[in-house]
Amino acid sequence: MEHFYIITNETKDPDFEITYRIRDYLLKCGKKCSIREQVREKRGKIYTDSNMLKEDVDCVLVLGGDGTLLQAAADLADLSVPFLGINLGTLGFLAEVNKDDMEEAFSKLLAGEYEIENRMMLYGCCYRPGEDGEMDNARALNDIVITRKGSLQIITFAISVNGQFLHRYSADGIIVATPTGSTGYNLSAGGPVVDPKAQLMVATPICPHSMQHRSIVLSPEDEITILIETGHDGSRQEVEAIFDGSHRVTLRTGDRIVIRRSDKTTGIVKLNRVSFLEILNRKMLDGK
């Protein structure tokens, strides 16, 4: 790896002290290093313009936490560039390098002592009756969440898999997660923890108003369709489809979202020999 591109969460490194320290270290080692200079707003969220990356960038360094890396992965999904997360907060599953261990981490990285895990992503397409083509679409590394918007009322929706009706829910929503996202909102909602290298999708209802509240594990080849129906009281519903906690799409009664595996993956640079189970154990012990 010769050219690195740094994306910094400015709330966690406001003076770019750590960012510049990494840049100077890489330059001293004879490497090229670019820092994201232009920050724009995309639907209320800071994002990275993929057009600003040079073609010879070999690795994207993300300073912040798992949320920052998720945003970067979504923004740069069309580029085949791996990510290394530098955690400036609490222990993360994606941003596994702590700021106190950066020198050792970069020593391994520059020596070629790393692996790249290609993580599965989701692709969601939103449709509205009477409109020609897709209303909106986006990718997600962690999850796509369908949840109520504004109102405290439960929402009603039907799920089909590969065109075959599966179940009708009255719930606060549903989470469709990748293995990487299984340790996020899916876990908080009672869903299973999945090894991030696996290839599958997990659908977990959020606070369902029935005894049928189990998660459903599906093949990566499956296509999930979620149809927003009329409310239980006969009212029209308005909900949100949220991609990795940032990209949001408003859906109404009659709209549907189709979720499948994306043809893109996210490459995560792995430097530590600490296994996923060890990290999971630490998180459980910390209660975080």
Side-chain angles (χ1 to χ4, degrees):
M1 293 185 174
E2 297 296 326
H3 188 179
F4 297 86
Y5 186 84
I6 301 178
I7 296 174
T8 301
N9 183 331
E10 297 182 34
T11 62
K12 296 187 177 181
D13 188 23
D15 299 324
F16 276 50
E17 177 185 352
I18 299 173
T19 301
Y20 293 145
R21 190 194 315 168
I22 293 173
R23 180 201 59 186
D24 294 345
Y25 176 86
L26 292 172
L27 293 176
K28 184 178 179 181
C29 292
K31 306 299 181 180
K32 294 174 63 178
C33 183
S34 305
I35 298 173
R36 180 184 61 183
E37 297 178 357
Q38 183 177 357
V39 177
R40 297 191 294 173
E41 292 290 322
K42 180 182 181 182
R43 293 178 183 160
K45 292 291 181 180
I46 294 175
Y47 85 121
T48 301
D49 187 345
S50 61
N51 293 321
M52 297 191 67
L53 269 73
K54 302 294 184 181
E55 292 184 359
D56 64 342
V57 169
D58 299 305
C59 182
V60 175
L61 306 177
V62 182
L63 277 64
D66 283 1
T68 311
L69 199 151
L70 286 172
Q71 183 69 52
D75 292 340
L76 306 178
D78 288 325
L79 306 179
S80 299
V81 183
F83 297 82
L84 176 63
I86 313 298
N87 204 323
L88 303 185
T90 57
L91 179 67
F93 284 99
L94 291 172
E96 64 174 40
V97 177
N98 294 316
K99 60 181 179 181
D100 296 331
D101 303 323
M102 288 192 303
E103 186 171 339
E104 179 184 358
F106 283 113
S107 177
K108 289 182 179 180
L109 182 64
L110 299 183
E113 299 175 8
Y114 62 86
E115 297 179 353
I116 296 178
E117 287 185 0
N118 289 312
R119 302 287 184 86
M120 171 183 167
M121 298 184 77
L122 299 174
Y123 182 69
C125 302
C126 302
Y127 300 89
R128 176 160 294 162
E131 293 196 7
D132 185 20
E134 299 172 7
M135 181 175 66
D136 204 336
N137 65 77
R139 297 187 184 94
L141 173 58
N142 250 15
D143 53 39
I144 299 174
V145 179
I146 311 301
T147 186
R148 57 196 181 188
K149 180 180 180 181
S151 172
L152 294 179
Q153 293 182 339
I154 61 174
I155 61 177
T156 303
F157 52 91
I159 297 181
S160 299
V161 178
N162 302 325
Q164 183 176 353
F165 175 76
L166 176 64
H167 193 64
R168 178 171 288 104
Y169 287 96
S170 291
D172 287 355
I174 190 165
I175 305 161
V176 179
T178 64
T180 297
S182 69
T183 54
Y185 194 6
N186 169 75
L187 178 59
S188 299
V193 175
V194 181
D195 188 296
K197 297 186 295 296
Q199 297 290 305
L200 54 83
M201 296 182 286
V202 179
T204 300
I206 306 169
C207 300
H209 289 241
S210 72
M211 297 300 291
Q212 304 298 324
H213 63 277
R214 300 291 185 180
S215 296
I216 304 167
V217 179
L218 298 166
S219 161
E221 285 75 36
D222 288 333
E223 182 178 87
I224 304 169
T225 299
I226 302 174
L227 173 66
I228 310 304
E229 298 189 325
T230 302
H232 68 282
D233 59 354
S235 62
R236 288 182 58 81
Q237 300 188 108
E238 187 172 76
V239 305
E240 276 191 320
I242 307 174
F243 298 72
D244 276 348
S246 57
H247 185 88
R248 295 171 180 264
V249 182
T250 297
L251 301 175
R252 302 184 180 91
T253 295
D255 293 348
R256 71 187 191 279
I257 178 171
V258 179
I259 301 171
R260 59 181 180 271
R261 175 171 59 178
S262 172
D263 59 352
K264 303 294 184 181
T265 60
T266 296
I268 303 295
V269 177
K270 305 293 290 185
L271 297 170
N272 300 322
R273 294 190 176 183
V274 178
S275 70
F276 165 71
L277 293 178
E278 288 179 78
I279 297 175
L280 182 61
N281 176 258
R282 292 181 192 175
K283 297 282 282 187
M284 288 179 170
L285 290 176
D286 291 342
K288 299 177 182 178

